[in-house]
Amino acid sequence: MKTRAMQILDRAGIPYEIREFQADDLGADEVAEKLGIPLERVFKNPGRARDRTGVVLACLPGTAVLSLKAFARASGNKQVELVETDEILRLTGYIRGGVSPLGPRKRIRLRWTKAR
């Protein structure tokens, strides 16, 4: 079964490769190691905001560290918080480790900003 992100890539004619592994509770560095790819090619979505704007995602390379203050500013919020693992599915429609800003299953506001 293809994810919505895969369906979007297919429609756009963008090639991709499916790589499978046992995820358990891995961070970006462990994922990069399991897949044998550089950490900067693994992306993570560690933050979600719930303030004035509702739920927003941060999407950054595995080598980056999320600044909650910078994320709040970029998302138009006074402050943001990381969502607890058990809330991720309810808020995004995806399980932890499978959250994607491309083709979310639930409506999520996206704002693109340059990482600092």
mmCIF file with all atom_site columns, all heavy atoms in Angstrom, residues 77-95:
data_model
loop_
_atom_site.group_PDB
_atom_site.id
_atom_site.type_symbol
_atom_site.label_atom_id
_atom_site.label_alt_id
_atom_site.label_comp_id
_atom_site.label_asym_id
_atom_site.label_entity_id
_atom_site.label_seq_id
_atom_site.pdbx_PDB_ins_code
_atom_site.Cartn_x
_atom_site.Cartn_y
_atom_site.Cartn_z
_atom_site.occupancy
_atom_site.B_iso_or_equiv
_atom_site.pdbx_formal_charge
_atom_site.auth_seq_id
_atom_site.auth_comp_id
_atom_site.auth_asym_id
_atom_site.auth_atom_id
_atom_site.pdbx_PDB_model_num
ATOM 1   N N   . ASN A 1 77 ? 3.622  31.777 16.380 1.00 0.00 ? 77 ASN A N   1
ATOM 2   C CA  . ASN A 1 77 ? 3.140  31.458 17.724 1.00 0.00 ? 77 ASN A CA  1
ATOM 3   C C   . ASN A 1 77 ? 4.027  32.111 18.775 1.00 0.00 ? 77 ASN A C   1
ATOM 4   O O   . ASN A 1 77 ? 5.184  32.418 18.512 1.00 0.00 ? 77 ASN A O   1
ATOM 5   C CB  . ASN A 1 77 ? 3.149  29.938 17.937 1.00 0.00 ? 77 ASN A CB  1
ATOM 6   C CG  . ASN A 1 77 ? 2.069  29.253 17.146 1.00 0.00 ? 77 ASN A CG  1
ATOM 7   O OD1 . ASN A 1 77 ? 0.910  29.327 17.497 1.00 0.00 ? 77 ASN A OD1 1
ATOM 8   N ND2 . ASN A 1 77 ? 2.448  28.604 16.067 1.00 0.00 ? 77 ASN A ND2 1
ATOM 9   N N   . LYS A 1 78 ? 3.463  32.281 19.974 1.00 0.00 ? 78 LYS A N   1
ATOM 10  C CA  . LYS A 1 78 ? 4.259  32.805 21.083 1.00 0.00 ? 78 LYS A CA  1
ATOM 11  C C   . LYS A 1 78 ? 5.177  31.719 21.623 1.00 0.00 ? 78 LYS A C   1
ATOM 12  O O   . LYS A 1 78 ? 6.285  31.985 22.053 1.00 0.00 ? 78 LYS A O   1
ATOM 13  C CB  . LYS A 1 78 ? 3.346  33.311 22.201 1.00 0.00 ? 78 LYS A CB  1
ATOM 14  C CG  . LYS A 1 78 ? 2.594  34.560 21.811 1.00 0.00 ? 78 LYS A CG  1
ATOM 15  C CD  . LYS A 1 78 ? 1.723  35.028 22.946 1.00 0.00 ? 78 LYS A CD  1
ATOM 16  C CE  . LYS A 1 78 ? 0.918  36.233 22.508 1.00 0.00 ? 78 LYS A CE  1
ATOM 17  N NZ  . LYS A 1 78 ? -0.007 36.671 23.530 1.00 0.00 ? 78 LYS A NZ  1
ATOM 18  N N   . GLN A 1 79 ? 4.671  30.499 21.651 1.00 0.00 ? 79 GLN A N   1
ATOM 19  C CA  . GLN A 1 79 ? 5.490  29.373 22.094 1.00 0.00 ? 79 GLN A CA  1
ATOM 20  C C   . GLN A 1 79 ? 4.976  28.112 21.436 1.00 0.00 ? 79 GLN A C   1
ATOM 21  O O   . GLN A 1 79 ? 3.848  28.056 20.957 1.00 0.00 ? 79 GLN A O   1
ATOM 22  C CB  . GLN A 1 79 ? 5.471  29.224 23.611 1.00 0.00 ? 79 GLN A CB  1
ATOM 23  C CG  . GLN A 1 79 ? 4.119  28.853 24.194 1.00 0.00 ? 79 GLN A CG  1
ATOM 24  C CD  . GLN A 1 79 ? 4.177  28.740 25.692 1.00 0.00 ? 79 GLN A CD  1
ATOM 25  O OE1 . GLN A 1 79 ? 4.683  29.634 26.358 1.00 0.00 ? 79 GLN A OE1 1
ATOM 26  N NE2 . GLN A 1 79 ? 3.659  27.667 26.229 1.00 0.00 ? 79 GLN A NE2 1
ATOM 27  N N   . VAL A 1 80 ? 5.817  27.101 21.381 1.00 0.00 ? 80 VAL A N   1
ATOM 28  C CA  . VAL A 1 80 ? 5.449  25.801 20.835 1.00 0.00 ? 80 VAL A CA  1
ATOM 29  C C   . VAL A 1 80 ? 5.925  24.728 21.793 1.00 0.00 ? 80 VAL A C   1
ATOM 30  O O   . VAL A 1 80 ? 6.753  24.984 22.664 1.00 0.00 ? 80 VAL A O   1
ATOM 31  C CB  . VAL A 1 80 ? 6.053  25.550 19.433 1.00 0.00 ? 80 VAL A CB  1
ATOM 32  C CG1 . VAL A 1 80 ? 5.504  26.512 18.414 1.00 0.00 ? 80 VAL A CG1 1
ATOM 33  C CG2 . VAL A 1 80 ? 7.560  25.595 19.466 1.00 0.00 ? 80 VAL A CG2 1
ATOM 34  N N   . GLU A 1 81 ? 5.388  23.551 21.602 1.00 0.00 ? 81 GLU A N   1
ATOM 35  C CA  . GLU A 1 81 ? 5.790  22.425 22.440 1.00 0.00 ? 81 GLU A CA  1
ATOM 36  C C   . GLU A 1 81 ? 5.900  21.191 21.570 1.00 0.00 ? 81 GLU A C   1
ATOM 37  O O   . GLU A 1 81 ? 5.283  21.116 20.504 1.00 0.00 ? 81 GLU A O   1
ATOM 38  C CB  . GLU A 1 81 ? 4.762  22.189 23.538 1.00 0.00 ? 81 GLU A CB  1
ATOM 39  C CG  . GLU A 1 81 ? 3.391  21.833 22.999 1.00 0.00 ? 81 GLU A CG  1
ATOM 40  C CD  . GLU A 1 81 ? 2.314  21.774 24.065 1.00 0.00 ? 81 GLU A CD  1
ATOM 41  O OE1 . GLU A 1 81 ? 2.398  22.512 25.046 1.00 0.00 ? 81 GLU A OE1 1
ATOM 42  O OE2 . GLU A 1 81 ? 1.396  20.968 23.880 1.00 0.00 ? 81 GLU A OE2 1
ATOM 43  N N   . LEU A 1 82 ? 6.687  20.255 22.006 1.00 0.00 ? 82 LEU A N   1
ATOM 44  C CA  . LEU A 1 82 ? 6.748  18.975 21.317 1.00 0.00 ? 82 LEU A CA  1
ATOM 45  C C   . LEU A 1 82 ? 5.535  18.168 21.762 1.00 0.00 ? 82 LEU A C   1
ATOM 46  O O   . LEU A 1 82 ? 5.156  18.205 22.928 1.00 0.00 ? 82 LEU A O   1
ATOM 47  C CB  . LEU A 1 82 ? 8.038  18.229 21.663 1.00 0.00 ? 82 LEU A CB  1
ATOM 48  C CG  . LEU A 1 82 ? 9.329  18.923 21.234 1.00 0.00 ? 82 LEU A CG  1
ATOM 49  C CD1 . LEU A 1 82 ? 10.522 18.068 21.616 1.00 0.00 ? 82 LEU A CD1 1
ATOM 50  C CD2 . LEU A 1 82 ? 9.327  19.201 19.747 1.00 0.00 ? 82 LEU A CD2 1
ATOM 51  N N   . VAL A 1 83 ? 4.941  17.465 20.835 1.00 0.00 ? 83 VAL A N   1
ATOM 52  C CA  . VAL A 1 83 ? 3.764  16.669 21.142 1.00 0.00 ? 83 VAL A CA  1
ATOM 53  C C   . VAL A 1 83 ? 4.210  15.324 21.695 1.00 0.00 ? 83 VAL A C   1
ATOM 54  O O   . VAL A 1 83 ? 5.174  14.731 21.212 1.00 0.00 ? 83 VAL A O   1
ATOM 55  C CB  . VAL A 1 83 ? 2.908  16.496 19.872 1.00 0.00 ? 83 VAL A CB  1
ATOM 56  C CG1 . VAL A 1 83 ? 1.800  15.496 20.091 1.00 0.00 ? 83 VAL A CG1 1
ATOM 57  C CG2 . VAL A 1 83 ? 2.340  17.829 19.455 1.00 0.00 ? 83 VAL A CG2 1
ATOM 58  N N   . GLU A 1 84 ? 3.492  14.855 22.685 1.00 0.00 ? 84 GLU A N   1
ATOM 59  C CA  . GLU A 1 84 ? 3.793  13.547 23.265 1.00 0.00 ? 84 GLU A CA  1
ATOM 60  C C   . GLU A 1 84 ? 3.587  12.464 22.207 1.00 0.00 ? 84 GLU A C   1
ATOM 61  O O   . GLU A 1 84 ? 2.723  12.577 21.346 1.00 0.00 ? 84 GLU A O   1
ATOM 62  C CB  . GLU A 1 84 ? 2.885  13.276 24.466 1.00 0.00 ? 84 GLU A CB  1
ATOM 63  C CG  . GLU A 1 84 ? 3.070  14.254 25.611 1.00 0.00 ? 84 GLU A CG  1
ATOM 64  C CD  . GLU A 1 84 ? 4.456  14.182 26.235 1.00 0.00 ? 84 GLU A CD  1
ATOM 65  O OE1 . GLU A 1 84 ? 5.038  13.077 26.303 1.00 0.00 ? 84 GLU A OE1 1
ATOM 66  O OE2 . GLU A 1 84 ? 4.965  15.236 26.643 1.00 0.00 ? 84 GLU A OE2 1
ATOM 67  N N   . THR A 1 85 ? 4.361  11.394 22.287 1.00 0.00 ? 85 THR A N   1
ATOM 68  C CA  . THR A 1 85 ? 4.317  10.315 21.307 1.00 0.00 ? 85 THR A CA  1
ATOM 69  C C   . THR A 1 85 ? 2.906  9.769  21.115 1.00 0.00 ? 85 THR A C   1
ATOM 70  O O   . THR A 1 85 ? 2.486  9.518  19.991 1.00 0.00 ? 85 THR A O   1
ATOM 71  C CB  . THR A 1 85 ? 5.273  9.177  21.723 1.00 0.00 ? 85 THR A CB  1
ATOM 72  O OG1 . THR A 1 85 ? 6.588  9.712  21.829 1.00 0.00 ? 85 THR A OG1 1
ATOM 73  C CG2 . THR A 1 85 ? 5.277  8.056  20.720 1.00 0.00 ? 85 THR A CG2 1
ATOM 74  N N   . ASP A 1 86 ? 2.150  9.616  22.205 1.00 0.00 ? 86 ASP A N   1
ATOM 75  C CA  . ASP A 1 86 ? 0.808  9.047  22.074 1.00 0.00 ? 86 ASP A CA  1
ATOM 76  C C   . ASP A 1 86 ? -0.196 9.996  21.411 1.00 0.00 ? 86 ASP A C   1
ATOM 77  O O   . ASP A 1 86 ? -1.276 9.577  21.016 1.00 0.00 ? 86 ASP A O   1
ATOM 78  C CB  . ASP A 1 86 ? 0.289  8.574  23.428 1.00 0.00 ? 86 ASP A CB  1
ATOM 79  C CG  . ASP A 1 86 ? 0.201  9.671  24.474 1.00 0.00 ? 86 ASP A CG  1
ATOM 80  O OD1 . ASP A 1 86 ? 0.813  10.741 24.289 1.00 0.00 ? 86 ASP A OD1 1
ATOM 81  O OD2 . ASP A 1 86 ? -0.477 9.459  25.494 1.00 0.00 ? 86 ASP A OD2 1
ATOM 82  N N   . GLU A 1 87 ? 0.148  11.261 21.223 1.00 0.00 ? 87 GLU A N   1
ATOM 83  C CA  . GLU A 1 87 ? -0.735 12.215 20.560 1.00 0.00 ? 87 GLU A CA  1
ATOM 84  C C   . GLU A 1 87 ? -0.465 12.341 19.058 1.00 0.00 ? 87 GLU A C   1
ATOM 85  O O   . GLU A 1 87 ? -1.271 12.901 18.325 1.00 0.00 ? 87 GLU A O   1
ATOM 86  C CB  . GLU A 1 87 ? -0.565 13.610 21.162 1.00 0.00 ? 87 GLU A CB  1
ATOM 87  C CG  . GLU A 1 87 ? -1.134 13.789 22.544 1.00 0.00 ? 87 GLU A CG  1
ATOM 88  C CD  . GLU A 1 87 ? -1.018 15.242 22.952 1.00 0.00 ? 87 GLU A CD  1
ATOM 89  O OE1 . GLU A 1 87 ? -1.958 16.004 22.665 1.00 0.00 ? 87 GLU A OE1 1
ATOM 90  O OE2 . GLU A 1 87 ? 0.019  15.603 23.529 1.00 0.00 ? 87 GLU A OE2 1
ATOM 91  N N   . ILE A 1 88 ? 0.677  11.848 18.582 1.00 0.00 ? 88 ILE A N   1
ATOM 92  C CA  . ILE A 1 88 ? 1.092  12.064 17.200 1.00 0.00 ? 88 ILE A CA  1
ATOM 93  C C   . ILE A 1 88 ? 0.077  11.510 16.209 1.00 0.00 ? 88 ILE A C   1
ATOM 94  O O   . ILE A 1 88 ? -0.310 12.190 15.267 1.00 0.00 ? 88 ILE A O   1
ATOM 95  C CB  . ILE A 1 88 ? 2.500  11.480 16.954 1.00 0.00 ? 88 ILE A CB  1
ATOM 96  C CG1 . ILE A 1 88 ? 3.521  12.273 17.767 1.00 0.00 ? 88 ILE A CG1 1
ATOM 97  C CG2 . ILE A 1 88 ? 2.852  11.491 15.478 1.00 0.00 ? 88 ILE A CG2 1
ATOM 98  C CD1 . ILE A 1 88 ? 4.911  11.680 17.772 1.00 0.00 ? 88 ILE A CD1 1
ATOM 99  N N   . LEU A 1 89 ? -0.384 10.288 16.408 1.00 0.00 ? 89 LEU A N   1
ATOM 100 C CA  . LEU A 1 89 ? -1.337 9.680  15.483 1.00 0.00 ? 89 LEU A CA  1
ATOM 101 C C   . LEU A 1 89 ? -2.629 10.491 15.423 1.00 0.00 ? 89 LEU A C   1
ATOM 102 O O   . LEU A 1 89 ? -3.142 10.788 14.346 1.00 0.00 ? 89 LEU A O   1
ATOM 103 C CB  . LEU A 1 89 ? -1.631 8.232  15.880 1.00 0.00 ? 89 LEU A CB  1
ATOM 104 C CG  . LEU A 1 89 ? -2.663 7.503  15.024 1.00 0.00 ? 89 LEU A CG  1
ATOM 105 C CD1 . LEU A 1 89 ? -2.198 7.388  13.577 1.00 0.00 ? 89 LEU A CD1 1
ATOM 106 C CD2 . LEU A 1 89 ? -2.944 6.122  15.590 1.00 0.00 ? 89 LEU A CD2 1
ATOM 107 N N   . ARG A 1 90 ? -3.142 10.871 16.563 1.00 0.00 ? 90 ARG A N   1
ATOM 108 C CA  . ARG A 1 90 ? -4.393 11.634 16.604 1.00 0.00 ? 90 ARG A CA  1
ATOM 109 C C   . ARG A 1 90 ? -4.258 12.983 15.906 1.00 0.00 ? 90 ARG A C   1
ATOM 110 O O   . ARG A 1 90 ? -5.146 13.410 15.172 1.00 0.00 ? 90 ARG A O   1
ATOM 111 C CB  . ARG A 1 90 ? -4.836 11.844 18.062 1.00 0.00 ? 90 ARG A CB  1
ATOM 112 C CG  . ARG A 1 90 ? -6.156 12.564 18.203 1.00 0.00 ? 90 ARG A CG  1
ATOM 113 C CD  . ARG A 1 90 ? -6.563 12.725 19.660 1.00 0.00 ? 90 ARG A CD  1
ATOM 114 N NE  . ARG A 1 90 ? -5.609 13.460 20.466 1.00 0.00 ? 90 ARG A NE  1
ATOM 115 C CZ  . ARG A 1 90 ? -5.455 14.787 20.439 1.00 0.00 ? 90 ARG A CZ  1
ATOM 116 N NH1 . ARG A 1 90 ? -6.186 15.519 19.636 1.00 0.00 ? 90 ARG A NH1 1
ATOM 117 N NH2 . ARG A 1 90 ? -4.583 15.386 21.212 1.00 0.00 ? 90 ARG A NH2 1
ATOM 118 N N   . LEU A 1 91 ? -3.131 13.651 16.079 1.00 0.00 ? 91 LEU A N   1
ATOM 119 C CA  . LEU A 1 91 ? -2.947 14.985 15.506 1.00 0.00 ? 91 LEU A CA  1
ATOM 120 C C   . LEU A 1 91 ? -2.579 14.981 14.026 1.00 0.00 ? 91 LEU A C   1
ATOM 121 O O   . LEU A 1 91 ? -2.952 15.888 13.289 1.00 0.00 ? 91 LEU A O   1
ATOM 122 C CB  . LEU A 1 91 ? -1.864 15.742 16.285 1.00 0.00 ? 91 LEU A CB  1
ATOM 123 C CG  . LEU A 1 91 ? -2.230 16.143 17.701 1.00 0.00 ? 91 LEU A CG  1
ATOM 124 C CD1 . LEU A 1 91 ? -1.019 16.720 18.414 1.00 0.00 ? 91 LEU A CD1 1
ATOM 125 C CD2 . LEU A 1 91 ? -3.373 17.139 17.709 1.00 0.00 ? 91 LEU A CD2 1
ATOM 126 N N   . THR A 1 92 ? -1.827 13.971 13.588 1.00 0.00 ? 92 THR A N   1
ATOM 127 C CA  . THR A 1 92 ? -1.314 13.995 12.215 1.00 0.00 ? 92 THR A CA  1
ATOM 128 C C   . THR A 1 92 ? -1.902 12.924 11.310 1.00 0.00 ? 92 THR A C   1
ATOM 129 O O   . THR A 1 92 ? -1.822 13.034 10.092 1.00 0.00 ? 92 THR A O   1
ATOM 130 C CB  . THR A 1 92 ? 0.221  13.817 12.200 1.00 0.00 ? 92 THR A CB  1
ATOM 131 O OG1 . THR A 1 92 ? 0.539  12.493 12.649 1.00 0.00 ? 92 THR A OG1 1
ATOM 132 C CG2 . THR A 1 92 ? 0.916  14.852 13.056 1.00 0.00 ? 92 THR A CG2 1
ATOM 133 N N   . GLY A 1 93 ? -2.429 11.859 11.904 1.00 0.00 ? 93 GLY A N   1
ATOM 134 C CA  . GLY A 1 93 ? -2.897 10.739 11.097 1.00 0.00 ? 93 GLY A CA  1
ATOM 135 C C   . GLY A 1 93 ? -1.787 9.758  10.786 1.00 0.00 ? 93 GLY A C   1
ATOM 136 O O   . GLY A 1 93 ? -1.997 8.767  10.091 1.00 0.00 ? 93 GLY A O   1
ATOM 137 N N   . TYR A 1 94 ? -0.572 10.009 11.273 1.00 0.00 ? 94 TYR A N   1
ATOM 138 C CA  . TYR A 1 94 ? 0.567  9.127  11.044 1.00 0.00 ? 94 TYR A CA  1
ATOM 139 C C   . TYR A 1 94 ? 1.131  8.645  12.379 1.00 0.00 ? 94 TYR A C   1
ATOM 140 O O   . TYR A 1 94 ? 1.030  9.335  13.390 1.00 0.00 ? 94 TYR A O   1
ATOM 141 C CB  . TYR A 1 94 ? 1.698  9.852  10.305 1.00 0.00 ? 94 TYR A CB  1
ATOM 142 C CG  . TYR A 1 94 ? 1.416  10.106 8.842  1.00 0.00 ? 94 TYR A CG  1
ATOM 143 C CD1 . TYR A 1 94 ? 1.161  11.382 8.374  1.00 0.00 ? 94 TYR A CD1 1
ATOM 144 C CD2 . TYR A 1 94 ? 1.417  9.062  7.930  1.00 0.00 ? 94 TYR A CD2 1
ATOM 145 C CE1 . TYR A 1 94 ? 0.917  11.615 7.034  1.00 0.00 ? 94 TYR A CE1 1
ATOM 146 C CE2 . TYR A 1 94 ? 1.179  9.285  6.585  1.00 0.00 ? 94 TYR A CE2 1
ATOM 147 C CZ  . TYR A 1 94 ? 0.927  10.562 6.142  1.00 0.00 ? 94 TYR A CZ  1
ATOM 148 O OH  . TYR A 1 94 ? 0.680  10.784 4.823  1.00 0.00 ? 94 TYR A OH  1
ATOM 149 N N   . ILE A 1 95 ? 1.786  7.467  12.348 1.00 0.00 ? 95 ILE A N   1
ATOM 150 C CA  . ILE A 1 95 ? 2.463  6.972  13.547 1.00 0.00 ? 95 ILE A CA  1
ATOM 151 C C   . ILE A 1 95 ? 3.810  7.677  13.678 1.00 0.00 ? 95 ILE A C   1
ATOM 152 O O   . ILE A 1 95 ? 4.338  8.218  12.715 1.00 0.00 ? 95 ILE A O   1
ATOM 153 C CB  . ILE A 1 95 ? 2.658  5.444  13.510 1.00 0.00 ? 95 ILE A CB  1
ATOM 154 C CG1 . ILE A 1 95 ? 3.516  5.035  12.301 1.00 0.00 ? 95 ILE A CG1 1
ATOM 155 C CG2 . ILE A 1 95 ? 1.321  4.723  13.504 1.00 0.00 ? 95 ILE A CG2 1
ATOM 156 C CD1 . ILE A 1 95 ? 3.973  3.591  12.320 1.00 0.00 ? 95 ILE A CD1 1
#
